[in-house]
Amino acid sequence: MSLTAAELQTYLNALVRGELKLSTMIWGPPGVGKSSVVAQVAAANRLGFVDVRLSQLAPTDLRGLPVPESDGQGGGVSRWYPPEFLPRDGRGILFLDEVNMAPPTMQGMAQQLILDRRVGSYELPDGWFVWAAGNRKEDRASVFDMPAPLANRFLHLTVRPDFDSWRAYALGRGLHEHVVAFLTFRPELLHRLDPQQPAWPSPRAWEMASRLHRAGLDAAPAIGEAAGAEFSAFVRLYEQLPDLGIVLEGRGGGLRLPDEPSVRYAAVVGLAARAQTADEAYHAFTWLADSAGPEWLQLYVATLVSKFQAIGQLADLADLVGRDDRLATLVQTTLTLTEGA
């Protein structure tokens, strides 16, 4: 079952709400956001979250260490003392990441935890879900085959890169507007695996690039030289932008939207990213309505809706819908497309 990151989040939330404690395996290329989505689901449902990287553990790290206990009569038994990172109580998600990068002996140890919810003398509390994630062979990852008995006990979900899902995440997380605008212009660079290079574009890499860029550093060490060069050239286009602050204040009547498409992308996404209130968002919309065609208005509204939904400003979104019939129609179109995706 192939899902976008947003669809994966919806599916996992449904498992939690339904208390369906079915072991679930999430497949996908490196950097696509598998672990981030699981962490978001845990936070949204107020669940504990334990992230275990199986590829970094030895079997005794998961099963625990045998400790002899004397019976006081010259005999005794060995008891397995489980590791401290395994949960003892409460409710949460035990997330076994990089499960198929672990060697077969480690996968065999994990199999007992996944299938029987216990390993050694440890038993997973009833309130915990067991989910796992791994990369596919076609992603050139160093993975081992998953044993058939283990694979057959999982639900299998595949997450794929999707720009709309990433945009909503990026706007909610406050990633730099230059990064959001650039990938709106070049969405094919959201994820481009290059096993010949140590750095290449992925959702995870772009989040790192945003932090570097905000600090005034080159983004290439995160996303690679080729994507980094394109991004730097795009950022230089921002020097050609009109004063977006004046537009958001409603005083942009004397300004003109540039004709160059890449600069238009920067301006339209920049306005949506910077708008903090319904008033600012409406001022930007009316300015664009006088300066650009319907495709640019749709881009602006789609970006704005993603942002307001991600940061929980639904009241501002409702306010906007009541101000202008054109705006209401575009918002409704965006929401319909999002729900139908």
Side-chain angles (χ1 to χ4, degrees), residues 35-233:
S35 56
S36 295
V37 169
V38 174
Q40 290 170 49
V41 169
N45 292 279
R46 298 183 179 180
L47 296 174
F49 179 59
V50 175
D51 186 347
V52 179
R53 304 297 170 108
L54 285 183
S55 62
Q56 300 174 11
L57 300 180
T60 52
D61 294 331
L62 189 61
R63 185 174 184 179
L65 294 173
V67 178
E69 290 187 1
S70 173
D71 61 4
Q73 300 177 358
V77 296
S78 289
R79 299 191 183 278
W80 292 91
Y81 278 32
E84 56 86 20
F85 59 77
L86 291 176
R88 302 300 194 276
D89 52 30
R91 300 177 68 246
I93 298 169
L94 177 60
F95 184 52
L96 306 177
D97 204 358
E98 301 174 352
V99 64
N100 59 335
M101 290 182 68
T105 53
M106 191 65 220
Q107 288 193 43
M109 188 62 63
Q111 180 173 333
Q112 185 181 1
L113 180 60
I114 294 165
L115 304 187
D116 302 328
R117 298 177 63 87
R118 63 186 306 141
V119 59
S121 60
Y122 171 79
E123 185 171 351
L124 187 69
D126 290 340
W128 284 74
F129 296 83
V130 182
W131 296 345
N135 302 133
R136 308 161 302 180
K137 281 188 174 181
E138 58 262 38
D139 300 318
R140 305 287 184 89
S142 300
V143 298
F144 296 89
D145 289 330
M146 180 178 288
L150 178 58
N152 193 239
R153 295 298 185 95
F154 273 122
L155 302 179
H156 292 272
L157 306 174
T158 299
V159 61
R160 64 181 187 273
D162 173 70
F163 175 73
D164 289 338
S165 297
W166 178 85
R167 178 180 59 189
Y169 169 81
L171 291 168
R173 292 274 293 178
L175 268 63
H176 201 291
E177 70 179 69
H178 292 175
V179 170
V180 180
F182 173 70
L183 288 175
T184 302
F185 178 59
R186 291 277 279 137
E188 61 272 21
L189 287 180
L190 174 63
H191 191 281
R192 179 170 287 180
L193 176 62
D194 184 354
Q196 305 303 317
Q197 300 296 328
W200 39 270
S202 73
R204 177 170 57 203
W206 280 111
E207 188 161 3
M208 293 189 291
S210 174
R211 297 173 64 184
L212 290 173
H213 183 57
R214 199 179 297 280
L217 297 173
D218 187 1
I223 56 176
E225 294 296 335
E230 280 199 52
F231 175 64
S232 295

Side-chain angles (χ1 to χ4, degrees), residues 272 275 277-289 294 296-305 308 315-336:
T277 65
D279 284 341
E280 290 184 347
Y282 184 66
H283 291 152
F285 175 81
T286 56
W287 181 75
L288 287 170
W296 299 102
L297 286 177
Q298 184 64 64
L299 173 61
Y300 169 75
V301 171
T303 307
L304 190 70
V305 168
F308 279 3
D316 284 327
L317 194 57
D319 184 352
L320 284 171
V321 168
R323 293 192 183 200
D324 189 298
D325 289 342
R326 296 171 302 170
L327 184 51
T329 299
L330 288 170
V331 169
Q332 187 57 50
T333 299
T334 298
L335 293 174
T336 301

